[in-house]
mmCIF file of all heavy atoms in Angstrom:
data_model
loop_
_atom_site.group_PDB
_atom_site.id
_atom_site.type_symbol
_atom_site.label_atom_id
_atom_site.label_comp_id
_atom_site.label_asym_id
_atom_site.label_seq_id
_atom_site.Cartn_x
_atom_site.Cartn_y
_atom_site.Cartn_z
ATOM 1 N N GLU A 1 -35.588 -42.382 -150.176
ATOM 2 C CA GLU A 1 -35.266 -41.078 -150.761
ATOM 3 C C GLU A 1 -36.412 -40.536 -151.612
ATOM 4 O O GLU A 1 -37.182 -41.285 -152.201
ATOM 5 C CB GLU A 1 -34.004 -41.202 -151.620
ATOM 6 C CG GLU A 1 -32.770 -41.566 -150.813
ATOM 7 C CD GLU A 1 -31.518 -41.613 -151.665
ATOM 8 O OE1 GLU A 1 -31.632 -41.393 -152.888
ATOM 9 O OE2 GLU A 1 -30.439 -41.866 -151.117
ATOM 10 N N LYS A 2 -36.456 -39.249 -151.669
ATOM 11 C CA LYS A 2 -37.465 -38.559 -152.456
ATOM 12 C C LYS A 2 -37.143 -38.679 -153.943
ATOM 13 O O LYS A 2 -35.994 -38.526 -154.347
ATOM 14 C CB LYS A 2 -37.481 -37.085 -152.045
ATOM 15 C CG LYS A 2 -38.581 -36.249 -152.638
ATOM 16 C CD LYS A 2 -38.548 -34.866 -151.998
ATOM 17 C CE LYS A 2 -39.658 -33.990 -152.530
ATOM 18 N NZ LYS A 2 -39.670 -32.669 -151.867
ATOM 19 N N LYS A 3 -38.139 -38.976 -154.756
ATOM 20 C CA LYS A 3 -37.939 -39.072 -156.201
ATOM 21 C C LYS A 3 -38.061 -37.683 -156.831
ATOM 22 O O LYS A 3 -39.059 -36.994 -156.636
ATOM 23 C CB LYS A 3 -38.986 -40.001 -156.824
ATOM 24 C CG LYS A 3 -38.743 -41.477 -156.596
ATOM 25 C CD LYS A 3 -39.760 -42.287 -157.390
ATOM 26 C CE LYS A 3 -39.480 -43.774 -157.261
ATOM 27 N NZ LYS A 3 -40.474 -44.569 -158.038
ATOM 28 N N GLU A 4 -37.037 -37.320 -157.582
ATOM 29 C CA GLU A 4 -37.078 -36.001 -158.218
ATOM 30 C C GLU A 4 -38.230 -35.897 -159.210
ATOM 31 O O GLU A 4 -38.813 -34.832 -159.392
ATOM 32 C CB GLU A 4 -35.754 -35.713 -158.930
ATOM 33 C CG GLU A 4 -34.572 -35.559 -157.989
ATOM 34 C CD GLU A 4 -33.299 -35.222 -158.720
ATOM 35 O OE1 GLU A 4 -33.356 -35.107 -159.964
ATOM 36 O OE2 GLU A 4 -32.257 -35.079 -158.070
ATOM 37 N N GLU A 5 -38.556 -37.045 -159.876
ATOM 38 C CA GLU A 5 -39.601 -37.011 -160.890
ATOM 39 C C GLU A 5 -40.983 -37.335 -160.320
ATOM 40 O O GLU A 5 -41.954 -37.482 -161.074
ATOM 41 C CB GLU A 5 -39.291 -38.005 -162.011
ATOM 42 C CG GLU A 5 -39.417 -39.478 -161.629
ATOM 43 C CD GLU A 5 -38.175 -40.016 -160.936
ATOM 44 O OE1 GLU A 5 -37.303 -39.222 -160.550
ATOM 45 O OE2 GLU A 5 -38.091 -41.251 -160.785
ATOM 46 N N CYS A 6 -41.095 -37.450 -158.993
ATOM 47 C CA CYS A 6 -42.385 -37.768 -158.387
ATOM 48 C C CYS A 6 -43.400 -36.672 -158.712
ATOM 49 O O CYS A 6 -43.147 -35.487 -158.457
ATOM 50 C CB CYS A 6 -42.246 -37.903 -156.870
ATOM 51 S SG CYS A 6 -43.818 -38.210 -156.029
ATOM 52 N N PRO A 7 -44.554 -37.030 -159.255
ATOM 53 C CA PRO A 7 -45.539 -36.009 -159.647
ATOM 54 C C PRO A 7 -46.232 -35.350 -158.469
ATOM 55 O O PRO A 7 -46.853 -34.304 -158.620
ATOM 56 C CB PRO A 7 -46.547 -36.805 -160.493
ATOM 57 C CG PRO A 7 -46.430 -38.196 -159.977
ATOM 58 C CD PRO A 7 -44.987 -38.384 -159.614
ATOM 59 N N VAL A 8 -46.141 -35.951 -157.276
ATOM 60 C CA VAL A 8 -46.810 -35.385 -156.115
ATOM 61 C C VAL A 8 -45.908 -34.410 -155.352
ATOM 62 O O VAL A 8 -46.300 -33.293 -155.042
ATOM 63 C CB VAL A 8 -47.291 -36.505 -155.167
ATOM 64 C CG1 VAL A 8 -47.852 -35.915 -153.879
ATOM 65 C CG2 VAL A 8 -48.346 -37.357 -155.859
ATOM 66 N N CYS A 9 -44.667 -34.830 -155.075
ATOM 67 C CA CYS A 9 -43.797 -33.977 -154.258
ATOM 68 C C CYS A 9 -42.535 -33.534 -154.999
ATOM 69 O O CYS A 9 -41.701 -32.840 -154.428
ATOM 70 C CB CYS A 9 -43.405 -34.691 -152.970
ATOM 71 S SG CYS A 9 -42.316 -36.122 -153.219
ATOM 72 N N GLY A 10 -42.394 -33.926 -156.265
ATOM 73 C CA GLY A 10 -41.161 -33.624 -156.972
ATOM 74 C C GLY A 10 -41.272 -32.577 -158.058
ATOM 75 O O GLY A 10 -40.398 -32.453 -158.900
ATOM 76 N N GLY A 11 -42.359 -31.840 -158.093
ATOM 77 C CA GLY A 11 -42.473 -30.766 -159.069
ATOM 78 C C GLY A 11 -43.624 -30.918 -160.034
ATOM 79 O O GLY A 11 -43.892 -30.034 -160.842
ATOM 80 N N GLU A 12 -44.331 -32.058 -159.994
ATOM 81 C CA GLU A 12 -45.518 -32.280 -160.800
ATOM 82 C C GLU A 12 -45.243 -32.304 -162.301
ATOM 83 O O GLU A 12 -46.132 -32.094 -163.107
ATOM 84 C CB GLU A 12 -46.589 -31.232 -160.483
ATOM 85 C CG GLU A 12 -46.981 -31.197 -159.003
ATOM 86 C CD GLU A 12 -48.021 -30.142 -158.707
ATOM 87 O OE1 GLU A 12 -48.535 -29.545 -159.664
ATOM 88 O OE2 GLU A 12 -48.310 -29.927 -157.526
ATOM 89 N N THR A 13 -44.005 -32.529 -162.692
ATOM 90 C CA THR A 13 -43.660 -32.614 -164.109
ATOM 91 C C THR A 13 -42.800 -33.838 -164.347
ATOM 92 O O THR A 13 -41.875 -34.112 -163.596
ATOM 93 C CB THR A 13 -42.889 -31.355 -164.570
ATOM 94 O OG1 THR A 13 -43.715 -30.210 -164.343
ATOM 95 C CG2 THR A 13 -42.557 -31.438 -166.052
ATOM 96 N N VAL A 14 -43.138 -34.589 -165.398
ATOM 97 C CA VAL A 14 -42.393 -35.792 -165.759
ATOM 98 C C VAL A 14 -42.028 -35.722 -167.226
ATOM 99 O O VAL A 14 -42.867 -35.388 -168.065
ATOM 100 C CB VAL A 14 -43.241 -37.067 -165.501
ATOM 101 C CG1 VAL A 14 -42.478 -38.304 -165.948
ATOM 102 C CG2 VAL A 14 -43.601 -37.178 -164.027
ATOM 103 N N GLU A 15 -40.746 -35.992 -167.548
ATOM 104 C CA GLU A 15 -40.328 -36.016 -168.941
ATOM 105 C C GLU A 15 -40.600 -37.391 -169.527
ATOM 106 O O GLU A 15 -40.286 -38.413 -168.923
ATOM 107 C CB GLU A 15 -38.841 -35.672 -169.062
ATOM 108 C CG GLU A 15 -38.541 -34.217 -168.756
ATOM 109 C CD GLU A 15 -37.297 -33.719 -169.489
ATOM 110 O OE1 GLU A 15 -36.718 -34.521 -170.248
ATOM 111 O OE2 GLU A 15 -36.946 -32.555 -169.298
ATOM 112 N N LEU A 16 -41.196 -37.400 -170.713
ATOM 113 C CA LEU A 16 -41.583 -38.651 -171.348
ATOM 114 C C LEU A 16 -41.281 -38.580 -172.840
ATOM 115 O O LEU A 16 -41.726 -37.665 -173.524
ATOM 116 C CB LEU A 16 -43.079 -38.907 -171.134
ATOM 117 C CG LEU A 16 -43.669 -40.138 -171.793
ATOM 118 C CD1 LEU A 16 -43.067 -41.402 -171.179
ATOM 119 C CD2 LEU A 16 -45.186 -40.163 -171.627
ATOM 120 N N SER A 17 -40.499 -39.537 -173.317
ATOM 121 C CA SER A 17 -40.190 -39.619 -174.750
ATOM 122 C C SER A 17 -41.037 -40.710 -175.374
ATOM 123 O O SER A 17 -41.081 -41.835 -174.873
ATOM 124 C CB SER A 17 -38.701 -39.935 -174.963
ATOM 125 O OG SER A 17 -37.900 -38.903 -174.441
ATOM 126 N N ILE A 18 -41.721 -40.378 -176.461
ATOM 127 C CA ILE A 18 -42.577 -41.355 -177.130
ATOM 128 C C ILE A 18 -42.281 -41.351 -178.625
ATOM 129 O O ILE A 18 -41.655 -40.430 -179.154
ATOM 130 C CB ILE A 18 -44.078 -41.047 -176.913
ATOM 131 C CG1 ILE A 18 -44.429 -39.680 -177.514
ATOM 132 C CG2 ILE A 18 -44.433 -41.107 -175.438
ATOM 133 C CD1 ILE A 18 -45.917 -39.378 -177.504
ATOM 134 N N SER A 19 -42.747 -42.383 -179.301
ATOM 135 C CA SER A 19 -42.574 -42.483 -180.745
ATOM 136 C C SER A 19 -43.432 -41.443 -181.452
ATOM 137 O O SER A 19 -44.539 -41.118 -181.004
ATOM 138 C CB SER A 19 -42.969 -43.891 -181.215
ATOM 139 O OG SER A 19 -43.097 -43.925 -182.620
ATOM 140 N N ARG A 20 -42.944 -40.939 -182.566
ATOM 141 C CA ARG A 20 -43.723 -39.970 -183.338
ATOM 142 C C ARG A 20 -44.962 -40.616 -183.945
ATOM 143 O O ARG A 20 -45.893 -39.926 -184.354
ATOM 144 C CB ARG A 20 -42.861 -39.369 -184.456
ATOM 145 C CG ARG A 20 -41.716 -38.500 -183.966
ATOM 146 C CD ARG A 20 -41.011 -37.840 -185.136
ATOM 147 N NE ARG A 20 -41.918 -36.992 -185.906
ATOM 148 C CZ ARG A 20 -42.195 -35.733 -185.592
ATOM 149 N NH1 ARG A 20 -41.652 -35.188 -184.510
ATOM 150 N NH2 ARG A 20 -43.017 -35.022 -186.329
ATOM 151 N N ASP A 21 -44.980 -41.941 -183.996
ATOM 152 C CA ASP A 21 -46.115 -42.656 -184.580
ATOM 153 C C ASP A 21 -47.166 -43.048 -183.541
ATOM 154 O O ASP A 21 -48.198 -43.621 -183.891
ATOM 155 C CB ASP A 21 -45.626 -43.926 -185.295
ATOM 156 C CG ASP A 21 -44.744 -43.604 -186.493
ATOM 157 O OD1 ASP A 21 -44.996 -42.578 -187.151
ATOM 158 O OD2 ASP A 21 -43.801 -44.369 -186.763
ATOM 159 N N MET A 22 -46.905 -42.768 -182.268
ATOM 160 C CA MET A 22 -47.867 -43.140 -181.233
ATOM 161 C C MET A 22 -49.136 -42.317 -181.364
ATOM 162 O O MET A 22 -49.100 -41.099 -181.505
ATOM 163 C CB MET A 22 -47.262 -42.946 -179.836
ATOM 164 C CG MET A 22 -48.230 -43.281 -178.702
ATOM 165 S SD MET A 22 -47.506 -43.108 -177.041
ATOM 166 C CE MET A 22 -46.630 -44.663 -176.900
ATOM 167 N N LYS A 23 -50.282 -43.009 -181.297
ATOM 168 C CA LYS A 23 -51.567 -42.329 -181.377
ATOM 169 C C LYS A 23 -51.991 -41.837 -179.985
ATOM 170 O O LYS A 23 -51.485 -42.310 -178.973
ATOM 171 C CB LYS A 23 -52.629 -43.273 -181.940
ATOM 172 C CG LYS A 23 -52.383 -43.693 -183.381
ATOM 173 C CD LYS A 23 -53.486 -44.628 -183.868
ATOM 174 C CE LYS A 23 -53.251 -45.023 -185.321
ATOM 175 N NZ LYS A 23 -54.305 -45.948 -185.818
ATOM 176 N N VAL A 24 -52.914 -40.897 -179.972
ATOM 177 C CA VAL A 24 -53.395 -40.342 -178.714
ATOM 178 C C VAL A 24 -54.006 -41.438 -177.844
ATOM 179 O O VAL A 24 -53.779 -41.493 -176.634
ATOM 180 C CB VAL A 24 -54.431 -39.231 -178.977
ATOM 181 C CG1 VAL A 24 -55.079 -38.780 -177.662
ATOM 182 C CG2 VAL A 24 -53.775 -38.046 -179.671
ATOM 183 N N GLU A 25 -54.773 -42.325 -178.467
ATOM 184 C CA GLU A 25 -55.385 -43.422 -177.730
ATOM 185 C C GLU A 25 -54.327 -44.310 -177.089
ATOM 186 O O GLU A 25 -54.475 -44.756 -175.952
ATOM 187 C CB GLU A 25 -56.264 -44.244 -178.667
ATOM 188 C CG GLU A 25 -57.090 -45.307 -177.969
ATOM 189 C CD GLU A 25 -58.044 -45.992 -178.922
ATOM 190 O OE1 GLU A 25 -57.732 -46.071 -180.119
ATOM 191 O OE2 GLU A 25 -59.110 -46.433 -178.464
ATOM 192 N N GLU A 26 -53.243 -44.560 -177.790
ATOM 193 C CA GLU A 26 -52.159 -45.381 -177.254
ATOM 194 C C GLU A 26 -51.450 -44.672 -176.108
ATOM 195 O O GLU A 26 -51.018 -45.307 -175.138
ATOM 196 C CB GLU A 26 -51.164 -45.714 -178.365
ATOM 197 C CG GLU A 26 -51.743 -46.603 -179.452
ATOM 198 C CD GLU A 26 -50.811 -46.775 -180.637
ATOM 199 O OE1 GLU A 26 -49.934 -45.896 -180.840
ATOM 200 O OE2 GLU A 26 -50.951 -47.767 -181.368
ATOM 201 N N LEU A 27 -51.311 -43.354 -176.202
ATOM 202 C CA LEU A 27 -50.683 -42.585 -175.129
ATOM 203 C C LEU A 27 -51.516 -42.655 -173.859
ATOM 204 O O LEU A 27 -50.977 -42.802 -172.753
ATOM 205 C CB LEU A 27 -50.497 -41.132 -175.559
ATOM 206 C CG LEU A 27 -49.952 -40.178 -174.480
ATOM 207 C CD1 LEU A 27 -48.595 -40.637 -173.978
ATOM 208 C CD2 LEU A 27 -49.863 -38.753 -175.021
ATOM 209 N N ILE A 28 -52.840 -42.575 -174.009
ATOM 210 C CA ILE A 28 -53.724 -42.666 -172.852
ATOM 211 C C ILE A 28 -53.584 -44.025 -172.175
ATOM 212 O O ILE A 28 -53.477 -44.128 -170.945
ATOM 213 C CB ILE A 28 -55.188 -42.418 -173.273
ATOM 214 C CG1 ILE A 28 -55.370 -40.939 -173.664
ATOM 215 C CG2 ILE A 28 -56.159 -42.790 -172.150
ATOM 216 C CD1 ILE A 28 -56.735 -40.607 -174.202
#
């Protein structure tokens, strides 16, 4: 089955929840 959150064929958008304390380097 096709993944709704697939970045290639599912709309190119993914929802991601992260900690408010996460640094940019850690996100990368």
Side-chain angles (χ1 to χ4, degrees):
E1 296 183 358
K2 187 173 182 177
K3 284 186 176 180
E4 293 182 0
E5 70 277 12
C6 177
V8 174
C9 68
E12 303 179 8
T13 301
V14 177
E15 290 208 2
L16 177 66
S17 298
I18 62 173
S19 167
R20 293 186 60 85
D21 295 326
M22 178 178 279
K23 295 180 179 179
V24 172
E25 187 174 29
E26 294 172 337
L27 175 59
I28 290 175

